[in-house]
Amino acid sequence: MLNQTLAEQLHSALQTTSKITFLVGAGISADSGIPTFRGKEGYWTIGSKNYHPQEMATNRMFQINAEEVWKWYLYRKGVVENANPNPSHFLLKELEELLHSQFALVTQNVDGLHKRVGSSPDKLFSIHGDLNYVRCGDTCTNELYPFPDGFDWKNRNQSTITETELKLLTCPKCGELLRPHVLWFDEYYNEHYYKFDSAMKIAGESRILFILGTSGVTNLPMLIAEDVLYNKGFVVEVYTDESHFTHLLTNRSNGLIIREKSSVFLDGLVNHLRNHHSLPRRNSHN
Ligand SMILES: [Zn+2]
C-alpha cells in the first residue's frame, strides 16, 4: 500500500502537466554490485601510499599523474562493464513509460545503467557525468567522445595500463590524454557537461520529487530538493538510513520520509499507478 498522503499528492500531480522527478544516487546501483567508490572500495595505492577517492577523482591529481588516474578509472569502468542493471533501473524505465512527459530522471550515477535499460536521453540528466564518454584532458575542445573500444574488460589487470590502451585514450585532435567525462571533486557543475541549468529548471517545474538511494552529500541534489520545497512541491525521501535530506524534510507538511529499499518502493509505486490511475495517454495505445 502506498502512503496515503503520497497517494493524494500523486493524484493531484497527475491532473497537471508538472514534472514528477526522480533524483537518484549510488544506492540505486548498489544492487548491481557497483560500490560508491567513496568508501574503502575507492581507495587506490600508488607505490606505498594509499589515496582517498576524494584525492583520486580530482583535476589536480589528473594534472600530476594522469596515467594513475586512468588506471583507477579503468578499474572502475571494468566493474561497471561487468555489472548488469537491476530491478530499480527497470522500474524507473517503467515509470517513464507510465508518466510520459511528466517524468524526469536526475542521476548522480556515472555508470550508464539507466541508458542500458532504455531510459530516454531527453528525460535523463546525468549531473555527475557518464563513464561511457571521454573528453580532451587538455580541453582543446569541449566535445564528448564515446568511450573508445578495444579494452578487454573481462580480463583486465586492474593495476596496469598498456601502451595500446594509452594510445586509445589519446585526444584525436591534439594528442593529449583524454579524461573520463565525470565531475571531479575540485570542479564545478555547468550546463554543457552536467546539465546544471536543465536540472534546476526541472526542479522548478516539479510537483513531486522522489529522492532515492542518495544521502545528499553533494551540492546539486540538495539544491534541487530545497528548490522543490520552496516552490511548494512535495519531496519524498526513500532511503534506508538517516541522510542529509532527513533533516530537511522532518516536520514538514510537504515532506515525506520513507525508510524502504528503492526497489521495493518503486515496485509499489508502479503497481499503484497501474491499479489506481487510468493514465489516459497510455490507454491511447490500447
Ligand atoms: Zn585535445
Side-chain angles (χ1 to χ4, degrees):
M1 276 289 281
L2 203 67
N3 173 285
Q4 186 58 32
T5 313
L6 176 56
E8 284 161 17
Q9 288 287 339
L10 261 177
H11 184 76
S12 66
L14 287 166
Q15 318 299 316
T16 71
T17 54
S18 302
K19 294 279 184 247
I20 297 175
T21 302
F22 296 80
L23 169 63
V24 306
I28 293 289
S29 293
D31 286 346
S32 293
I34 300 172
T36 64
F37 295 108
R38 280 170 182 268
K40 60 181 189 320
E41 310 87 357
Y43 281 50
W44 194 249
T45 309
I46 306 176
S48 60
K49 198 166 181 280
N50 280 320
Y51 288 86
H52 290 257
Q54 285 81 351
E55 295 171 277
M56 289 305 294
T58 58
N59 196 283
R60 186 175 174 274
M61 184 61 96
F62 189 75
Q63 297 306 326
I64 300 169
N65 200 339
E67 239 178 79
E68 208 55 53
V69 171
W70 260 123
K71 284 184 198 171
W72 187 58
Y73 272 100
L74 289 177
Y75 150 62
R76 294 182 51 173
K77 175 89 173 141
V79 171
V80 169
E81 288 291 322
N82 291 319
N84 292 311
N86 66 62
S88 291
H89 296 106
F90 289 99
L91 288 162
L92 284 163
K93 168 66 186 157
E94 232 177 307
L95 286 163
E96 177 188 329
E97 284 164 11
L98 286 165
L99 298 171
H100 292 268
S101 57
Q102 283 192 274
F103 179 89
L105 176 56
V106 179
T107 186
Q108 298 180 79
N109 300 334
V110 297
D111 51 49
L113 292 181
H114 297 296
K115 278 190 202 147
R116 255 200 255 171
V117 300
S119 289
S120 308
D122 62 327
K123 296 192 178 75
L124 174 67
F125 302 86
S126 300
I127 55 171
H128 288 169
D130 185 341
L131 278 178
N132 284 315
Y133 295 91
V134 289
R135 57 186 212 244
C136 180
D138 204 32
T139 334
C140 77
T141 162
N142 59 14
E143 219 175 305
L144 300 185
Y145 304 109
F147 200 98
D149 286 330
F151 291 85
D152 179 5
W153 301 115
K154 280 269 173 288
N155 301 309
R156 255 197 70 80
N157 175 341
Q158 28 182 269
S159 61
T160 60
I161 186 165
T162 65
E163 281 304 312
T164 320
E165 287 175 332
L166 274 177
K167 277 213 183 71
L168 291 171
L169 296 170
T170 300
C171 175
K173 285 201 175 146
C174 74
E176 292 292 325
L177 265 185
L178 295 163
R179 59 167 280 176
H181 170 50
V182 292
L183 178 69
W184 281 332
F185 286 103
D186 54 353
E187 294 178 325
Y188 297 97
Y189 291 106
N190 61 49
E191 174 63 15
H192 179 75
Y193 291 139
Y194 309 113
K195 303 281 175 283
F196 176 83
D197 301 325
S198 303
M200 288 312 292
K201 187 168 175 281
I202 289 292
E205 296 167 356
S206 295
R207 179 78 172 250
I208 304 183
L209 172 71
F210 292 99
I211 305 170
L212 302 117
T214 176
S215 61
V217 287
T218 53
N219 286 332
L220 186 50
M222 195 49 92
L223 279 176
I224 290 174
E226 283 168 354
D227 205 54
V228 173
L229 288 175
Y230 180 79
N231 290 315
K232 306 279 181 278
F234 192 70
V235 178
V236 186
E237 177 193 43
V238 182
Y239 200 62
T240 44
D241 300 305
E242 272 207 12
S243 80
H244 291 262
F245 295 110
T246 309
H247 177 69
L248 188 71
L249 300 178
T250 304
N251 298 326
R252 257 184 197 273
S253 58
N254 57 339
L256 179 67
I257 295 166
I258 296 177
R259 294 278 172 250
E260 224 166 37
K261 265 183 69 102
S262 301
S263 55
V264 174
F265 173 78
L266 289 171
D267 191 50
L269 184 60
V270 165
N271 280 326
H272 176 86
L273 286 170
R274 286 205 188 291
N275 296 333
H276 296 268
H277 295 277
S278 55
L279 297 150
R281 279 157 295 184
R282 191 173 174 82
N283 289 347
S284 64
H285 295 291
N286 289 344

